[in-house]
PDB file of all heavy atoms in Angstrom:
ATOM      1  N   GLU N 290      -1.775 -32.076   8.355  1.00 91.00           N
ATOM      2  CA  GLU N 290      -1.335 -32.560   9.582  1.00 91.00           C
ATOM      3  C   GLU N 290      -2.437 -33.244  10.469  1.00 91.00           C
ATOM      4  O   GLU N 290      -2.025 -33.965  11.525  1.00 91.00           O
ATOM      5  CB  GLU N 290      -0.803 -31.411  10.426  1.00 91.00           C
ATOM      6  CG  GLU N 290       0.344 -30.725   9.808  1.00 91.00           C
ATOM      7  CD  GLU N 290       0.804 -29.443  10.479  1.00 91.00           C
ATOM      8  OE1 GLU N 290       0.233 -29.100  11.540  1.00 91.00           O
ATOM      9  OE2 GLU N 290       1.746 -28.784  10.049  1.00 91.00           O
ATOM     10  N   LEU N 291      -3.689 -33.208  10.061  1.00 89.00           N
ATOM     11  CA  LEU N 291      -4.657 -33.891  10.830  1.00 89.00           C
ATOM     12  C   LEU N 291      -4.981 -35.274  10.249  1.00 89.00           C
ATOM     13  O   LEU N 291      -4.789 -35.535   9.146  1.00 89.00           O
ATOM     14  CB  LEU N 291      -5.960 -33.122  10.782  1.00 89.00           C
ATOM     15  CG  LEU N 291      -6.096 -31.613  11.377  1.00 89.00           C
ATOM     16  CD1 LEU N 291      -7.306 -31.172  11.262  1.00 89.00           C
ATOM     17  CD2 LEU N 291      -5.538 -31.708  12.875  1.00 89.00           C
ATOM     18  N   SER N 292      -5.357 -36.188  11.164  1.00 90.00           N
ATOM     19  CA  SER N 292      -5.681 -37.540  10.695  1.00 90.00           C
ATOM     20  C   SER N 292      -6.947 -37.439   9.900  1.00 90.00           C
ATOM     21  O   SER N 292      -7.747 -36.510  10.002  1.00 90.00           O
ATOM     22  CB  SER N 292      -5.918 -38.452  11.883  1.00 90.00           C
ATOM     23  OG  SER N 292      -6.928 -38.052  12.711  1.00 90.00           O
ATOM     24  N   SER N 293      -7.263 -38.411   9.101  1.00 90.00           N
ATOM     25  CA  SER N 293      -8.465 -38.447   8.297  1.00 90.00           C
ATOM     26  C   SER N 293      -9.735 -38.312   9.208  1.00 90.00           C
ATOM     27  O   SER N 293     -10.611 -37.781   8.860  1.00 90.00           O
ATOM     28  CB  SER N 293      -8.545 -39.723   7.321  1.00 90.00           C
ATOM     29  OG  SER N 293      -8.326 -40.823   8.131  1.00 90.00           O
ATOM     30  N   GLU N 294      -9.671 -38.954  10.319  1.00 91.00           N
ATOM     31  CA  GLU N 294     -10.806 -39.001  11.267  1.00 91.00           C
ATOM     32  C   GLU N 294     -11.123 -37.551  11.719  1.00 91.00           C
ATOM     33  O   GLU N 294     -12.141 -37.138  11.770  1.00 91.00           O
ATOM     34  CB  GLU N 294     -10.491 -39.944  12.469  1.00 91.00           C
ATOM     35  CG  GLU N 294     -11.803 -39.955  13.443  1.00 91.00           C
ATOM     36  CD  GLU N 294     -11.567 -40.900  14.491  1.00 91.00           C
ATOM     37  OE1 GLU N 294     -10.512 -41.739  14.426  1.00 91.00           O
ATOM     38  OE2 GLU N 294     -12.279 -40.905  15.451  1.00 91.00           O
ATOM     39  N   LYS N 295     -10.039 -36.899  12.248  1.00 92.00           N
ATOM     40  CA  LYS N 295     -10.232 -35.523  12.830  1.00 92.00           C
ATOM     41  C   LYS N 295     -10.588 -34.643  11.607  1.00 92.00           C
ATOM     42  O   LYS N 295     -11.251 -33.526  11.907  1.00 92.00           O
ATOM     43  CB  LYS N 295      -8.803 -35.174  13.407  1.00 92.00           C
ATOM     44  CG  LYS N 295      -8.631 -35.735  14.765  1.00 92.00           C
ATOM     45  CD  LYS N 295      -7.462 -35.090  15.336  1.00 92.00           C
ATOM     46  CE  LYS N 295      -7.186 -35.695  16.899  1.00 92.00           C
ATOM     47  NZ  LYS N 295      -6.033 -35.026  17.580  1.00 92.00           N
ATOM     48  N   LEU N 296      -9.997 -34.816  10.502  1.00 91.00           N
ATOM     49  CA  LEU N 296     -10.343 -34.045   9.373  1.00 91.00           C
ATOM     50  C   LEU N 296     -11.900 -34.065   8.936  1.00 91.00           C
ATOM     51  O   LEU N 296     -12.508 -33.057   8.777  1.00 91.00           O
ATOM     52  CB  LEU N 296      -9.540 -34.185   8.099  1.00 91.00           C
ATOM     53  CG  LEU N 296      -9.797 -33.400   6.838  1.00 91.00           C
ATOM     54  CD1 LEU N 296      -9.453 -31.895   7.145  1.00 91.00           C
ATOM     55  CD2 LEU N 296      -8.836 -33.952   5.711  1.00 91.00           C
ATOM     56  N   LYS N 297     -12.352 -35.332   9.136  1.00 92.00           N
ATOM     57  CA  LYS N 297     -13.761 -35.505   8.871  1.00 92.00           C
ATOM     58  C   LYS N 297     -14.639 -34.696   9.934  1.00 92.00           C
ATOM     59  O   LYS N 297     -15.612 -34.203   9.658  1.00 92.00           O
ATOM     60  CB  LYS N 297     -14.023 -37.010   8.891  1.00 92.00           C
ATOM     61  CG  LYS N 297     -15.464 -37.360   8.348  1.00 92.00           C
ATOM     62  CD  LYS N 297     -15.564 -37.175   6.975  1.00 92.00           C
ATOM     63  CE  LYS N 297     -16.834 -37.778   6.274  1.00 92.00           C
ATOM     64  NZ  LYS N 297     -16.908 -37.427   4.888  1.00 92.00           N
ATOM     65  N   GLN N 298     -14.214 -34.849  11.105  1.00 92.00           N
ATOM     66  CA  GLN N 298     -14.922 -34.099  12.101  1.00 92.00           C
ATOM     67  C   GLN N 298     -15.040 -32.622  11.956  1.00 92.00           C
ATOM     68  O   GLN N 298     -16.081 -32.027  12.122  1.00 92.00           O
ATOM     69  CB  GLN N 298     -14.270 -34.490  13.552  1.00 92.00           C
ATOM     70  CG  GLN N 298     -14.367 -35.792  13.952  1.00 92.00           C
ATOM     71  CD  GLN N 298     -13.600 -36.119  15.327  1.00 92.00           C
ATOM     72  OE1 GLN N 298     -12.779 -35.179  15.860  1.00 92.00           O
ATOM     73  NE2 GLN N 298     -13.626 -37.299  15.926  1.00 92.00           N
ATOM     74  N   LYS N 299     -13.818 -31.978  11.441  1.00 91.00           N
ATOM     75  CA  LYS N 299     -13.840 -30.582  11.241  1.00 91.00           C
ATOM     76  C   LYS N 299     -14.830 -30.298   9.983  1.00 91.00           C
ATOM     77  O   LYS N 299     -15.499 -29.219  10.052  1.00 91.00           O
ATOM     78  CB  LYS N 299     -12.467 -30.148  10.831  1.00 91.00           C
ATOM     79  CG  LYS N 299     -11.264 -30.542  11.912  1.00 91.00           C
ATOM     80  CD  LYS N 299     -11.588 -29.770  13.226  1.00 91.00           C
ATOM     81  CE  LYS N 299     -10.471 -30.049  14.168  1.00 91.00           C
ATOM     82  NZ  LYS N 299     -10.758 -29.486  15.427  1.00 91.00           N
ATOM     83  N   GLN N 300     -14.777 -31.153   9.131  1.00 91.00           N
ATOM     84  CA  GLN N 300     -15.730 -30.960   7.847  1.00 91.00           C
ATOM     85  C   GLN N 300     -17.172 -30.989   8.286  1.00 91.00           C
ATOM     86  O   GLN N 300     -17.983 -30.155   7.878  1.00 91.00           O
ATOM     87  CB  GLN N 300     -15.479 -31.980   6.873  1.00 91.00           C
ATOM     88  CG  GLN N 300     -14.052 -31.751   6.117  1.00 91.00           C
ATOM     89  CD  GLN N 300     -13.680 -33.004   5.291  1.00 91.00           C
ATOM     90  OE1 GLN N 300     -14.359 -34.008   5.315  1.00 91.00           O
ATOM     91  NE2 GLN N 300     -12.597 -32.889   4.529  1.00 91.00           N
ATOM     92  N   GLN N 301     -17.511 -31.912   9.129  1.00 92.00           N
ATOM     93  CA  GLN N 301     -18.814 -32.107   9.531  1.00 92.00           C
ATOM     94  C   GLN N 301     -19.279 -30.905  10.548  1.00 92.00           C
ATOM     95  O   GLN N 301     -20.314 -30.297  10.416  1.00 92.00           O
ATOM     96  CB  GLN N 301     -19.105 -33.369  10.342  1.00 92.00           C
ATOM     97  CG  GLN N 301     -18.974 -34.590   9.609  1.00 92.00           C
ATOM     98  CD  GLN N 301     -19.006 -35.924  10.382  1.00 92.00           C
ATOM     99  OE1 GLN N 301     -18.876 -35.759  11.581  1.00 92.00           O
ATOM    100  NE2 GLN N 301     -19.230 -37.059   9.658  1.00 92.00           N
ATOM    101  N   MET N 302     -18.413 -30.457  11.363  1.00 92.00           N
ATOM    102  CA  MET N 302     -18.611 -29.216  12.128  1.00 92.00           C
ATOM    103  C   MET N 302     -18.800 -28.049  11.301  1.00 92.00           C
ATOM    104  O   MET N 302     -19.759 -27.305  11.638  1.00 92.00           O
ATOM    105  CB  MET N 302     -17.406 -29.108  13.110  1.00 92.00           C
ATOM    106  CG  MET N 302     -17.528 -27.884  14.083  1.00 92.00           C
ATOM    107  SD  MET N 302     -16.365 -27.915  15.475  1.00 92.00           S
ATOM    108  CE  MET N 302     -14.828 -27.680  14.582  1.00 92.00           C
ATOM    109  N   ALA N 303     -18.198 -27.855  10.200  1.00 90.00           N
ATOM    110  CA  ALA N 303     -18.191 -26.670   9.410  1.00 90.00           C
ATOM    111  C   ALA N 303     -19.581 -26.828   8.599  1.00 90.00           C
ATOM    112  O   ALA N 303     -20.259 -25.784   8.548  1.00 90.00           O
ATOM    113  CB  ALA N 303     -17.054 -26.593   8.292  1.00 90.00           C
ATOM    114  N   ALA N 304     -19.962 -27.949   8.125  1.00 90.00           N
ATOM    115  CA  ALA N 304     -21.077 -28.202   7.387  1.00 90.00           C
ATOM    116  C   ALA N 304     -22.252 -27.818   8.232  1.00 90.00           C
ATOM    117  O   ALA N 304     -23.422 -27.306   7.764  1.00 90.00           O
ATOM    118  CB  ALA N 304     -21.159 -29.532   6.823  1.00 90.00           C
ATOM    119  N   GLY N 305     -22.242 -28.136   9.592  1.00 89.00           N
ATOM    120  CA  GLY N 305     -23.455 -27.842  10.493  1.00 89.00           C
ATOM    121  C   GLY N 305     -23.408 -26.592  11.128  1.00 89.00           C
ATOM    122  O   GLY N 305     -24.266 -26.283  11.917  1.00 89.00           O
ATOM    123  N   GLY N 306     -22.391 -25.629  10.802  1.00 87.00           N
ATOM    124  CA  GLY N 306     -22.365 -24.350  11.390  1.00 87.00           C
ATOM    125  C   GLY N 306     -23.308 -23.364  10.918  1.00 87.00           C
ATOM    126  O   GLY N 306     -23.934 -23.546   9.915  1.00 87.00           O
ATOM    127  N   THR N 307     -23.516 -22.195  11.697  1.00 88.00           N
ATOM    128  CA  THR N 307     -24.346 -21.109  11.195  1.00 88.00           C
ATOM    129  C   THR N 307     -23.684 -20.479  10.006  1.00 88.00           C
ATOM    130  O   THR N 307     -22.575 -20.603   9.763  1.00 88.00           O
ATOM    131  CB  THR N 307     -24.613 -20.234  12.401  1.00 88.00           C
ATOM    132  OG1 THR N 307     -23.328 -19.606  12.806  1.00 88.00           O
ATOM    133  CG2 THR N 307     -25.133 -20.882  13.765  1.00 88.00           C
ATOM    134  N   PHE N 308     -24.499 -19.575   9.574  1.00 86.00           N
ATOM    135  CA  PHE N 308     -24.136 -18.740   8.495  1.00 86.00           C
ATOM    136  C   PHE N 308     -22.744 -17.990   8.828  1.00 86.00           C
ATOM    137  O   PHE N 308     -21.699 -17.944   8.130  1.00 86.00           O
ATOM    138  CB  PHE N 308     -25.189 -17.818   7.763  1.00 86.00           C
ATOM    139  CG  PHE N 308     -24.500 -16.787   6.964  1.00 86.00           C
ATOM    140  CD1 PHE N 308     -24.247 -17.090   5.620  1.00 86.00           C
ATOM    141  CD2 PHE N 308     -24.276 -15.449   7.342  1.00 86.00           C
ATOM    142  CE1 PHE N 308     -23.934 -16.073   4.733  1.00 86.00           C
ATOM    143  CE2 PHE N 308     -23.786 -14.580   6.542  1.00 86.00           C
ATOM    144  CZ  PHE N 308     -23.560 -14.805   5.219  1.00 86.00           C
ATOM    145  N   GLU N 309     -22.786 -17.405   9.940  1.00 84.00           N
ATOM    146  CA  GLU N 309     -21.532 -16.586  10.441  1.00 84.00           C
ATOM    147  C   GLU N 309     -20.387 -17.502  10.546  1.00 84.00           C
ATOM    148  O   GLU N 309     -19.316 -17.044  10.352  1.00 84.00           O
ATOM    149  CB  GLU N 309     -21.990 -15.875  11.723  1.00 84.00           C
ATOM    150  CG  GLU N 309     -21.022 -14.867  12.177  1.00 84.00           C
ATOM    151  CD  GLU N 309     -21.490 -14.186  13.382  1.00 84.00           C
ATOM    152  OE1 GLU N 309     -21.593 -14.689  14.448  1.00 84.00           O
ATOM    153  OE2 GLU N 309     -21.805 -12.867  13.350  1.00 84.00           O
ATOM    154  N   GLU N 310     -20.640 -18.747  11.172  1.00 88.00           N
ATOM    155  CA  GLU N 310     -19.564 -19.537  11.367  1.00 88.00           C
ATOM    156  C   GLU N 310     -18.947 -20.144  10.097  1.00 88.00           C
ATOM    157  O   GLU N 310     -17.741 -20.069   9.969  1.00 88.00           O
ATOM    158  CB  GLU N 310     -19.974 -20.829  12.301  1.00 88.00           C
ATOM    159  CG  GLU N 310     -18.865 -21.727  12.495  1.00 88.00           C
ATOM    160  CD  GLU N 310     -19.311 -22.904  13.461  1.00 88.00           C
ATOM    161  OE1 GLU N 310     -20.381 -22.730  14.067  1.00 88.00           O
ATOM    162  OE2 GLU N 310     -18.492 -23.889  13.528  1.00 88.00           O
ATOM    163  N   ARG N 311     -19.796 -20.431   9.090  1.00 89.00           N
ATOM    164  CA  ARG N 311     -19.296 -20.990   7.770  1.00 89.00           C
ATOM    165  C   ARG N 311     -18.541 -19.823   7.111  1.00 89.00           C
ATOM    166  O   ARG N 311     -17.442 -20.079   6.520  1.00 89.00           O
ATOM    167  CB  ARG N 311     -20.451 -21.393   6.957  1.00 89.00           C
ATOM    168  CG  ARG N 311     -21.117 -22.636   7.493  1.00 89.00           C
ATOM    169  CD  ARG N 311     -22.678 -22.574   7.024  1.00 89.00           C
ATOM    170  NE  ARG N 311     -22.873 -22.974   5.586  1.00 89.00           N
ATOM    171  CZ  ARG N 311     -23.267 -24.002   5.220  1.00 89.00           C
ATOM    172  NH1 ARG N 311     -23.456 -25.086   5.934  1.00 89.00           N
ATOM    173  NH2 ARG N 311     -23.370 -24.108   3.802  1.00 89.00           N
ATOM    174  N   PHE N 312     -19.124 -18.557   7.256  1.00 87.00           N
ATOM    175  CA  PHE N 312     -18.466 -17.464   6.639  1.00 87.00           C
ATOM    176  C   PHE N 312     -16.979 -17.195   7.209  1.00 87.00           C
ATOM    177  O   PHE N 312     -15.961 -16.961   6.519  1.00 87.00           O
ATOM    178  CB  PHE N 312     -19.336 -16.147   6.770  1.00 87.00           C
ATOM    179  CG  PHE N 312     -18.901 -15.152   5.855  1.00 87.00           C
ATOM    180  CD1 PHE N 312     -19.585 -15.020   4.636  1.00 87.00           C
ATOM    181  CD2 PHE N 312     -18.077 -14.125   6.256  1.00 87.00           C
ATOM    182  CE1 PHE N 312     -19.272 -13.917   3.713  1.00 87.00           C
ATOM    183  CE2 PHE N 312     -17.719 -13.059   5.334  1.00 87.00           C
ATOM    184  CZ  PHE N 312     -18.472 -12.934   4.122  1.00 87.00           C
ATOM    185  N   ALA N 313     -16.969 -17.281   8.567  1.00 88.00           N
ATOM    186  CA  ALA N 313     -15.768 -17.149   9.186  1.00 88.00           C
ATOM    187  C   ALA N 313     -14.690 -18.136   8.910  1.00 88.00           C
ATOM    188  O   ALA N 313     -13.415 -17.936   8.720  1.00 88.00           O
ATOM    189  CB  ALA N 313     -15.931 -17.127  10.739  1.00 88.00           C
ATOM    190  N   VAL N 314     -15.055 -19.344   8.688  1.00 91.00           N
ATOM    191  CA  VAL N 314     -14.316 -20.593   8.333  1.00 91.00           C
ATOM    192  C   VAL N 314     -13.540 -20.211   6.931  1.00 91.00           C
ATOM    193  O   VAL N 314     -12.383 -20.424   6.896  1.00 91.00           O
ATOM    194  CB  VAL N 314     -14.968 -21.884   8.359  1.00 91.00           C
ATOM    195  CG1 VAL N 314     -14.211 -22.996   7.648  1.00 91.00           C
ATOM    196  CG2 VAL N 314     -15.349 -22.331   9.734  1.00 91.00           C
ATOM    197  N   VAL N 315     -14.439 -19.744   6.051  1.00 91.00           N
ATOM    198  CA  VAL N 315     -13.872 -19.530   4.755  1.00 91.00           C
ATOM    199  C   VAL N 315     -12.699 -18.346   4.854  1.00 91.00           C
ATOM    200  O   VAL N 315     -11.732 -18.378   4.238  1.00 91.00           O
ATOM    201  CB  VAL N 315     -14.849 -19.169   3.723  1.00 91.00           C
ATOM    202  CG1 VAL N 315     -14.306 -18.705   2.406  1.00 91.00           C
ATOM    203  CG2 VAL N 315     -15.904 -20.271   3.531  1.00 91.00           C
ATOM    204  N   ASN N 316     -13.102 -17.369   5.695  1.00 89.00           N
ATOM    205  CA  ASN N 316     -12.150 -16.276   5.776  1.00 89.00           C
ATOM    206  C   ASN N 316     -10.933 -16.627   6.658  1.00 89.00           C
ATOM    207  O   ASN N 316      -9.872 -16.096   6.370  1.00 89.00           O
ATOM    208  CB  ASN N 316     -12.782 -15.125   6.499  1.00 89.00           C
ATOM    209  CG  ASN N 316     -13.597 -14.212   5.511  1.00 89.00           C
ATOM    210  OD1 ASN N 316     -13.075 -13.292   4.854  1.00 89.00           O
ATOM    211  ND2 ASN N 316     -14.928 -14.507   5.357  1.00 89.00           N
TER     212      ASN N 316
END
Side-chain angles (χ1 to χ4, degrees):
E290 297 170 0
L291 297 184
S292 65
S293 57
E294 182 180 351
K295 285 189 176 181
L296 181 59
K297 192 70 175 176
Q298 290 174 357
K299 303 298 182 187
Q300 291 168 350
Q301 292 173 349
M302 184 166 63
T307 62
F308 168 76
E309 191 174 68
E310 181 174 345
R311 293 152 71 104
F312 199 90
V314 167
V315 177
N316 277 277

